Amino acid sequence: MDEIRVGLVGYGTAGAVFHAPLIEAADGLALAAVVTRDPRRQAEVRARYGAAAVGDVAELWGLCDLVVVASPNRTHVAVAGEALAHGKAVVVDKPFARTVEEARGVVELARERGLMLTVFQNRRWDGDFLTVRRLLDEGALGRVLRLESRFERWRPAPKGGWREAGGAEEVGGLLYDLGSHLVDQAVRLLGPVREVYCESDVRREGVAADDDTFIALKHAGGARSHLWVSAMTARLGPRFRVLGSAGAYVKHGLDVQEERLRAGLSPLAAGFGDEGAERWGVAGTDADARPVPTESGAYLDFYRDVATALRTGAPPPVSADSALEALAVIEAAKLSATQGIVVRTG
């Protein structure tokens, strides 16, 4: 395979801020076409990337080898399935699907067709997450007792749009949105989940989907994860607080890559994923604490690994099985919040 032609479905925040710049920067990938009906966005696609701007998914099939699905959540399964049926490899933005059953149908189709399928869990390449993983691999905190992880905002006035205003049919709300990242990270760090408890609320007027959610997980190894995602947090908690038998790691603030992508900085720019020392987390105890340099964030590695997988047959950057595992926890959390119960998953 020579240069891999990419068709991007959707040019909202996910497509324009994350996928398009990363695809453009990855060796071996070329953004060939973008599906968007908005004339202003079509003009931007042509001017910035020299890509074709088309109004319908059906126009993609002769233009690309790989389809990236960054359209509204409710369309992920249908668009991914259609792309696979046309013989295209697929990247699906999170959330993969509304249910494990829906997602499994897409996974089975990809396997039947012998096509690569992966899910864009870019937060596996956040610098702070990579730092936590390194500390755990080194045993620097001892045995992990509890992981606390947050994506919190203070946004009392809704922004509008389907993510906030849509009901369950839109697969909107924070549980499926940023909660997908929190759960995926927790499972990657601490392993399989055996129990799930969730509290999920709508706090703001004019909002139909959850905007204030808490998830508690008990992992098979005995550790617990406490995860928060909220638009109603007037004072933000730490992004990570990891408590271990030998010490803790506390980190405030978000990974720097999103803000740099929003500012238009190329992922190839020097120091793109680097964080200044003033933002580093701290490890140890109250009596003996030390700053810990944050690993460089590396969103671009996701698409570099996609290109490698398509060229060599190597595993994709996010396996279908790991995506199903995280989605099963999200689905259990939704059930827990609805019924007010602890859901046992294994």
Side-chain angles (χ1 to χ4, degrees), residues 245-329:
S245 60
Y249 171 73
V250 181
K251 173 73 170 66
H252 289 265
L254 295 175
D255 176 88
V256 298
Q257 294 173 93
E258 178 175 348
E259 67 184 62
R260 290 172 181 172
L261 286 169
R262 287 183 181 275
L265 190 67
S266 168
L268 294 173
F272 173 79
D274 295 347
E275 186 177 80
E278 72 281 358
R279 298 176 67 158
W280 290 353
V282 175
T285 67
D286 285 342
D288 182 19
R290 60 182 175 84
V292 176
T294 304
E295 295 287 313
S296 294
Y299 289 170
L300 186 54
D301 283 359
F302 175 88
Y303 273 110
R304 285 171 169 160
D305 289 350
V306 166
T308 298
L310 290 173
R311 290 181 179 282
T312 69
V318 176
S319 72
D321 287 341
S322 73
L324 290 175
E325 184 179 19
L327 184 56
V329 175

Side-chain angles (χ1 to χ4, degrees), residues 155-159 164 174 202-209 211 231-232:
R155 189 175 288 165
K159 292 178 63 177
E164 293 180 335
L174 292 181
V202 179
R203 299 296 192 185
R204 297 171 297 170
E205 291 186 9
V207 172
D211 58 3
M232 286 298 293

Side-chain angles (χ1 to χ4, degrees), residues 149-153 173-180 182 199-201 210-215 227-233:
S149 181
R150 296 169 172 83
F151 280 120
E152 296 175 325
R153 299 186 178 105
L174 292 181
L175 172 60
Y176 274 94
D177 185 23
L178 292 171
S180 294
L182 294 180
E199 301 168 359
S200 190
D201 295 289
D210 71 286
D211 58 3
D212 185 20
T213 293
F214 166 73
I215 311 166
L227 314 174
W228 290 264
V229 57
S230 178
M232 286 298 293
T233 307

Side-chain angles (χ1 to χ4, degrees), residues 169-188:
E169 69 280 358
E170 293 285 355
V171 200
L174 292 181
L175 172 60
Y176 274 94
D177 185 23
L178 292 171
S180 294
H181 288 310
L182 294 180
V183 167
D184 181 76
Q185 289 184 337
V187 174
R188 301 279 67 76

Side-chain angles (χ1 to χ4, degrees), residues 44-323:
E44 180 182 331
V45 164
R46 296 185 185 107
R48 181 171 178 181
Y49 299 105
V54 301
D56 192 272
V57 172
E59 300 178 65
L60 274 187
W61 312 134
L63 301 175
C64 66
D65 312 295
L66 167 68
V67 172
V68 175
V69 183
S71 49
N73 294 350
R74 60 179 169 79
T75 69
H76 286 185
V77 168
V79 175
E82 190 175 357
L84 292 166
H86 281 83
K88 309 301 177 183
V90 171
V91 172
V92 186
D93 207 329
K94 59 79 200 160
F96 186 2
R98 183 174 58 88
T99 67
V100 172
E101 182 180 3
E102 290 179 352
R104 188 171 286 122
V106 179
V107 172
E108 290 173 355
L109 179 59
R111 287 173 177 163
E112 289 170 4
R113 297 298 181 101
L115 296 167
M116 188 208 72
L117 170 67
T118 190
V119 177
F120 187 63
Q121 286 287 3
N122 60 301
R123 297 288 179 178
R124 294 189 188 185
W125 288 267
D126 275 359
D128 46 24
F129 172 76
L130 295 173
T131 304
V132 173
R133 190 172 69 180
R134 175 174 60 80
L135 291 172
L136 267 55
D137 289 345
E138 294 172 351
L141 307 181
R143 179 170 60 89
V144 176
L145 308 175
R146 185 166 78 241
L147 165 71
E148 297 177 4
S149 181
R150 296 169 172 83
F151 280 120
E152 296 175 325
R153 299 186 178 105
W154 175 235
R155 189 175 288 165
K159 292 178 63 177
W162 61 265
R163 284 185 174 84
E164 293 180 335
E169 69 280 358
E170 293 285 355
V171 200
L174 292 181
L175 172 60
Y176 274 94
D177 185 23
L178 292 171
S180 294
H181 288 310
L182 294 180
V183 167
D184 181 76
Q185 289 184 337
V187 174
R188 301 279 67 76
L189 290 171
L190 300 179
V193 172
R194 293 293 177 257
E195 294 180 1
V196 181
Y197 171 74
C198 180
E199 301 168 359
S200 190
D201 295 289
V202 179
R203 299 296 192 185
R204 297 171 297 170
E205 291 186 9
V207 172
D210 71 286
D211 58 3
D212 185 20
T213 293
F214 166 73
I215 311 166
L217 309 177
K218 183 177 181 180
H219 297 267
R224 295 184 184 271
S225 293
H226 289 172
L227 314 174
W228 290 264
V229 57
S230 178
M232 286 298 293
T233 307
R235 295 292 301 271
L236 306 184
R239 172 67 188 89
F240 280 107
R241 191 168 80 129
V242 188
L243 305 179
S245 60
Y249 171 73
V250 181
K251 173 73 170 66
H252 289 265
L254 295 175
D255 176 88
V256 298
Q257 294 173 93
E258 178 175 348
E259 67 184 62
R260 290 172 181 172
L261 286 169
R262 287 183 181 275
L265 190 67
S266 168
L268 294 173
F272 173 79
D274 295 347
E275 186 177 80
E278 72 281 358
R279 298 176 67 158
W280 290 353
V282 175
T285 67
D286 285 342
D288 182 19
R290 60 182 175 84
V292 176
T294 304
E295 295 287 313
S296 294
Y299 289 170
L300 186 54
D301 283 359
F302 175 88
Y303 273 110
R304 285 171 169 160
D305 289 350
V306 166
T308 298
L310 290 173
R311 290 181 179 282
T312 69
V318 176
S319 72
D321 287 341
S322 73

